Amino acid sequence: VSDPPNLARPPIGAALIALNALAEGEARALDFNADAHHWSVIVVRSEGRAYAYENRCPHAGLPLDRPDGQVTVDMLGFLVCSAHLASFRLTDGAYAGGPKAPGSRGLTRVKVRVEAGMVVLA
Ligand code: FES
């Protein structure tokens, strides 16, 4: 079963952020709004590459970022959900620790590529 299309999600090829705007090992939440629709994505830079995930924790469906919009990456380099501290690997979103919903394997990947220094939706 797939979700209905989210009208706030930018189209394939849309630029999300410059790769160099992210520090190595940083994860950043980006929000997009269109009318009543909202789409939030976490963009990650790890070892110079870009990865992205839906900003929705598989544990209880809450946003991964903190109320101030920052995304926690712990000292071991795992992305940590702000709600109940489940953690995920930066490079594939795999579940690494903390509370887990039955059957969940990790974050929902959003396909991106780097084009002329920009992270774009693929
Ligand atoms: S919603 Fe993320 S750990 Fe519970």
Side-chain angles (χ1 to χ4, degrees):
V1 187
S2 61
D3 292 337
N6 184 331
L7 299 178
R9 180 181 172 136
I12 287 171
L16 299 176
I17 190 171
L19 183 61
N20 283 340
L22 299 170
E24 173 56 32
E26 182 180 354
R28 181 98 54 100
L30 301 173
D31 296 297
F32 298 86
N33 296 292
D35 298 328
H37 300 270
H38 175 76
W39 187 65
S40 186
V41 62
I42 303 275
V43 183
V44 171
R45 176 176 174 155
S46 181
E47 295 182 1
R49 303 181 67 152
Y51 304 89
Y53 305 98
E54 298 269 357
N55 186 7
R56 193 177 60 233
C57 181
H59 171 230
L62 297 170
L64 295 153
D65 58 329
R66 305 194 302 253
D68 65 1
Q70 300 293 306
V71 181
T72 301
V73 176
D74 70 12
M75 286 171 60
L76 298 174
F78 291 100
L79 192 159
V80 181
C81 177
S82 64
H84 317 106
L85 310 183
S87 60
F88 305 92
R89 203 153 57 196
L90 288 182
T91 51
D92 61 3
Y95 174 81
K100 185 179 180 190
S104 125
R105 292 165 157 229
L107 303 178
T108 302
R109 191 99 176 239
V110 172
K111 282 192 200 159
V112 291
R113 64 175 188 272
V114 177
E115 209 173 273
M118 297 297 294
V119 181
V120 304
L121 288 174

